[in-house]
Amino acid sequence: DNIGRQLYFLFSAAEIKEQSPLIPLLRDVWLPGIQVMAAREKAGSTEGLYVAAKGGFNDESHNHNDAGHFIVYSDGQPAIIDVGVETYTAKTFSASRYDIWTMQSGYHNLPVVNGYMQPHGKEYKATILNYSNSPEYSKFSLDISKAYPKDASIEKWNRHIGLDRKNKTVEVKDDYKLSEVKDDLQFALITPCDVVIENNQLYLTGGVNHENPVDLKIQFDPKLTPKVELINITDARLKSVWGHRLYRILLIKNNPGKQGEYTLRITQQ
């Protein structure tokens, strides 16, 4: 197979050289085999909002425990992020891999349910409910209840992630049902931006590019209590991407009922 690919490139070399390189800024991307979607406001442009999300399972190649995770960019700049991975060490590929914070679902944009994060294992997975796109709206719905252990007591956890192009809004809605309430619910968001909390809204400003700063507003349910944690970055690999610090935002529901729904609405200011 490898020889066949190399022969193709050899015989196509002249045609490839004649082409003008273009960044593949597609309006919509849907990869059902790996359960990944992406959507931007307008094809061919980084202006506006961009959202990407994944389902999958927690035993993929170079796995992180992150079924149901999503990211948001604003005018091409990272706002709600995937941290990535620290410099590789022996621990990265050992039985202690999931002791590393960047591998844990609690440090992805995911809920912590009844005190439980997602475990490692092929059986911990997302189930796709629906994907659709149109010029006005792109939407990805998945059930992530099976991505958590049985002790999390989840009967249903449907996550809906969409881009509303008409209203220039990214929406993330969690619709859940629990068999038992043992702890609070926490909805985590990771950002390289400065965070201000005001009137049930989060304001994300700045970020990694000072010449093109992020300026986003996140509306959240008033029943959720926000908390912001500083993450000091010491690893050289992560520091080269994000700088010296990140922030982990937790939207916390104390004494939650057995079922409910919460929606985040993310817009540019």
Side-chain angles (χ1 to χ4, degrees):
D1 289 344
N2 187 52
I3 292 174
R5 288 197 295 271
Q6 297 305 319
L7 287 173
Y8 171 80
F9 288 126
L10 284 172
F11 288 116
S12 304
E15 182 180 353
I16 292 171
K17 287 181 179 179
E18 292 175 359
Q19 301 302 312
S20 299
L22 294 173
I23 301 174
L25 300 175
L26 304 177
R27 191 195 74 183
D28 289 289
V29 175
W30 172 235
L31 304 172
I34 57 173
Q35 299 183 354
V36 168
M37 69 82 74
R40 65 179 67 250
E41 284 193 33
K42 185 174 68 173
S45 174
T46 60
E47 292 183 4
L49 292 170
Y50 168 89
V51 60
K54 69 177 295 293
F57 59 93
N58 288 336
D59 193 26
E60 298 171 344
S61 177
H62 292 262
N63 183 69
H64 294 202
N65 292 337
D66 62 355
H69 176 53
F70 71 95
I71 62 172
V72 175
Y73 274 54
S74 174
D75 292 334
Q77 299 303 315
I80 300 172
I81 65 166
D82 185 289
V83 176
V85 64
E86 295 177 329
T87 304
Y88 288 150
T89 65
K91 186 176 182 179
T92 311
F93 301 101
S94 73
S96 301
R97 176 180 179 86
Y98 297 97
D99 293 339
I100 301 172
W101 67 278
T102 59
M103 310 294 183
Q104 298 172 358
S105 67
Y107 288 88
H108 288 76
N109 304 312
L110 287 163
V112 177
V113 184
N114 274 329
Y116 289 92
M117 297 188 293
Q118 296 182 9
H120 167 244
K122 194 169 186 176
E123 68 272 30
Y124 301 107
K125 61 184 180 180
T127 302
I128 301 303
L129 301 176
N130 185 54
Y131 169 77
S132 62
N133 72 73
S134 71
E136 293 80 25
Y137 205 98
S138 297
K139 187 173 182 179
F140 180 39
S141 298
L142 62 165
D143 177 4
I144 58 173
S145 61
K146 292 183 173 61
Y148 290 80
K150 289 183 179 178
D151 287 344
S153 302
I154 303 174
E155 291 187 6
K156 178 186 77 170
W157 199 291
N158 293 345
R159 169 161 276 202
H160 310 279
I161 301 165
L163 175 63
D164 180 346
R165 295 186 178 91
K166 182 178 179 181
N167 294 303
K168 300 181 183 298
T169 304
V170 170
E171 295 183 335
V172 180
K173 177 182 175 182
D174 283 338
D175 175 14
Y176 69 88
K177 183 177 181 181
L178 308 175
S179 60
E180 185 179 358
V181 175
K182 306 174 185 177
D183 204 340
D184 57 21
L185 297 179
Q186 299 182 354
F187 302 84
L189 299 170
I190 310 296
T191 182
C193 303
D194 295 320
V195 183
V196 174
I197 303 166
E198 186 178 313
N199 299 326
N200 302 315
Q201 296 180 124
L202 300 166
Y203 294 91
L204 305 187
T205 59
V208 296
N209 187 341
H210 298 298
E211 295 181 0
N212 186 16
V214 171
D215 195 7
L216 285 188
K217 178 175 69 176
I218 304 175
Q219 294 176 293
F220 61 90
D221 192 294
K223 296 177 182 177
L224 301 175
T225 301
K227 176 184 176 182
V228 180
E229 299 176 346
L230 172 66
I231 303 173
N232 288 308
I233 302 297
T234 57
D235 176 76
R237 183 174 185 175
L238 292 184
K239 194 180 292 184
S240 69
V241 178
W242 304 119
H244 295 277
R245 54 96 180 112
L246 293 170
Y247 294 101
R248 182 187 189 221
I249 303 165
L250 292 175
L251 299 173
I252 303 167
K253 175 55 179 169
N254 296 304
N255 302 312
K258 288 187 177 180
Q259 63 184 87
E261 60 180 48
Y262 301 101
T263 301
L264 300 180
R265 291 182 175 86
I266 304 165
T267 56
Q268 292 180 313
Q269 294 196 78

